[in-house]
Amino acid sequence: MKELFKLYDYRENVNLKKLCTFRIGGTGDIIYPRDIFELKKIVKICKKNKIKYIILGNGSNVLFPDGRLSCLIISLSKFNSIEIKKNKVYVGAGVNLFYLNKVLSEKNLSGLEFSFGIPGTMGGFVKMNGGGFGHEICEFIDKVKILKNGKIISKKRKKIAFSYRNSNIDGIILGCTLNLKYGENVAENMQKYFDRKLASQPYEEFSAGSVFKRNLDIIPAKIIDNMGLKGVKINGAEVSKKHAGFIVNNGNAKASDVKELIALIRQKTGFNFQLEIVDYTDCEVKNESGDTTS
Ligand SMILES: Cc1cc2nc3c(=O)[nH]c(=O)nc-3n(C[C@H](O)[C@H](O)[C@H](O)COP(=O)(O)OP(=O)(O)OC[C@H]3O[C@@H](n4cnc5c(N)ncnc54)[C@H](O)[C@@H]3O)c2cc1C
């Protein structure tokens, strides 16, 4: 692959632990397009050479495999522009939510306070329809800029199906335009939301956020807590003692430990909870005997 991507910022055999907040994973190859032109060319090369790829934001909602990742990772971290035109704000997919909130608070732009403290980028947040405290990002979206089949398209919010921690966007999100309002005490309110998260979620440990999705009145964290599963461990993976909806990595957890713990939670609770984290453990290079590498 090195030869194919020699014109780009392409890095081989990177440690996947450094690319995700779970700090779990083996190795993989990553490419950082500098702009849309490079991104288009990279996608074209992938298509021509049948190279599968995944898009990565800040890796705060993913579980990588323990061995070698079979897909190329495309990072949009360089798509980090913010353009403010009164209350309409264009945010590049690679913009980190902490930074975005800082910029918005300086302009007294209100709406996204609930997202302060979520360790993702705008691309991942839109794709996952992230939210909290009764809000979801889709409420504030005017349109999303997407690269699909080699073309850049702009999709209005009402043309996108957003659901709980999901969207049906199937292209690469380049950025989105938000509709915000001018407000007061924006920075203070952001901090209040973040303080509530810090008090209830294990920010001091490695995790990928809530492992399971809520489904109407079925709240996995409550059920897991009621079953007394907080603190249950498989090797380095543990049901957080602070928030039963999180699995934390004590430092040496493997993806296989997390997967086993997920299976155990489902078995003990009797619920086949749907995953909120994006599971890439199936995208692992297999050797000739069909075993996975590690
Ligand atoms: C401590 C902690 C607290 C959290 N709290 C919350 C919370 O309160 N609310 C909440 O909703 N989430 C929360 N999360 C989960 C996570 O931060 C969010 O889902 C976040 O929006 C993911 O963004 P990301 O950039 O890290 O995405 P990634 O984890 O990198 O990717 C997630 C998915 O989005 C896709 N994706 C990323 N960028 C793009 C793009 N540009 N185009 C197309 N697809 C893309 C990826 O392919 C992947 O499928 C928390 C996580 C942690 C670790």
Side-chain angles (χ1 to χ4, degrees):
M1 279 215 288
K2 207 172 181 173
E3 195 51 30
L4 287 173
F5 297 119
K6 65 181 179 203
L7 295 177
Y8 307 99
D9 183 357
Y10 169 73
R11 304 176 199 179
E12 250 177 356
N13 286 323
V14 296
N15 184 349
L16 296 176
K17 288 188 177 74
K18 293 190 177 158
L19 297 179
C20 65
T21 55
F22 232 152
R23 297 287 186 270
I24 290 176
T27 58
D29 305 329
I30 186 163
I31 196 157
Y32 296 89
R34 276 170 275 255
D35 53 34
I36 179 67
F37 305 104
E38 284 200 359
L39 177 64
K40 273 183 170 180
K41 284 183 190 155
I42 289 164
V43 170
K44 219 173 163 183
I45 295 172
C46 288
K47 215 174 167 185
K48 194 172 163 205
N49 294 278
K50 296 197 169 60
I51 297 168
K52 286 196 179 147
Y53 62 84
I54 60 173
I55 307 298
L56 191 68
N58 197 38
S60 63
N61 213 21
V62 299
L63 178 63
F64 284 132
D66 293 316
R68 187 166 158 70
L69 189 72
S70 57
C71 328
L72 171 68
I73 301 172
I74 301 182
S75 165
L76 295 198
S77 62
K78 291 181 181 162
F79 289 61
N80 54 8
S81 65
I82 300 177
E83 290 153 36
I84 302 180
K85 286 187 188 142
K86 295 189 180 159
N87 66 325
K88 278 207 192 285
V89 182
Y90 175 80
V91 186
V95 173
N96 173 294
L97 295 176
F98 274 101
Y99 178 68
L100 174 65
N101 273 292
K102 192 178 161 287
V103 172
L104 296 180
S105 70
E106 283 164 4
K107 301 276 179 195
N108 293 323
L109 283 165
S110 170
L112 294 202
E113 290 91 327
F114 73 93
S115 72
F116 187 56
I118 296 177
T121 60
M122 196 39 119
F125 204 46
V126 172
K127 171 70 188 169
M128 302 303 297
N129 190 24
F133 305 106
H135 292 289
E136 294 176 320
I137 186 62
C138 65
E139 292 163 49
F140 304 92
I141 290 177
D142 175 30
K143 55 193 175 192
V144 182
K145 197 166 143 191
I146 303 166
L147 178 66
K148 200 180 168 192
N149 300 329
K151 293 203 173 79
I152 298 171
I153 54 171
S154 178
K155 256 194 172 181
K156 291 294 267 184
R157 179 185 64 178
K158 57 178 187 286
K159 297 271 178 198
I160 301 171
F162 286 104
S163 54
Y164 185 78
R165 299 296 176 267
N166 204 7
S167 71
N168 69 345
I169 302 171
D170 60 355
I172 301 176
I173 299 164
L174 303 170
C176 71
T177 305
L178 303 171
N179 263 327
L180 300 173
K181 289 193 170 127
Y182 288 103
E184 282 174 10
N185 306 321
V186 176
E188 288 83 346
N189 291 333
M190 281 174 184
Q191 193 57 46
K192 278 185 197 155
Y193 281 120
F194 191 25
D195 287 344
R196 283 171 67 185
K197 284 173 72 66
L198 286 171
S200 62
Q201 298 180 2
Y203 265 82
E204 59 290 349
E205 290 174 279
F206 304 134
S207 80
S210 295
V211 176
F212 304 109
K213 281 187 190 182
R214 284 177 177 214
N215 187 356
L216 302 171
D217 54 347
I218 299 174
I219 302 171
K222 260 195 186 161
I223 296 167
I224 297 165
D225 196 3
N226 290 342
M227 295 290 297
L229 297 177
K230 272 183 174 171
V232 169
K233 280 185 203 172
I234 292 192
N235 300 319
E238 178 181 333
V239 178
S240 164
K241 294 189 185 88
K242 199 165 176 185
H243 189 304
F246 283 55
I247 289 178
V248 293
N249 168 11
N250 289 347
N252 57 1
K254 289 190 173 292
S256 55
D257 300 331
V258 174
K259 295 291 293 269
E260 274 183 51
L261 191 53
I262 288 171
L264 184 73
I265 293 168
R266 285 177 172 153
Q267 184 220 322
K268 295 258 184 209
T269 58
F271 282 90
N272 191 20
F273 299 127
Q274 208 191 335
L275 286 185
E276 181 169 322
I277 54 173
V278 183
D279 180 4
Y280 288 121
T281 56
D282 283 344
C283 307
E284 191 170 21
V285 174
K286 307 226 176 356
N287 63 27
E288 278 168 17
S289 62
D291 297 334
T292 50
T293 60
S294 55

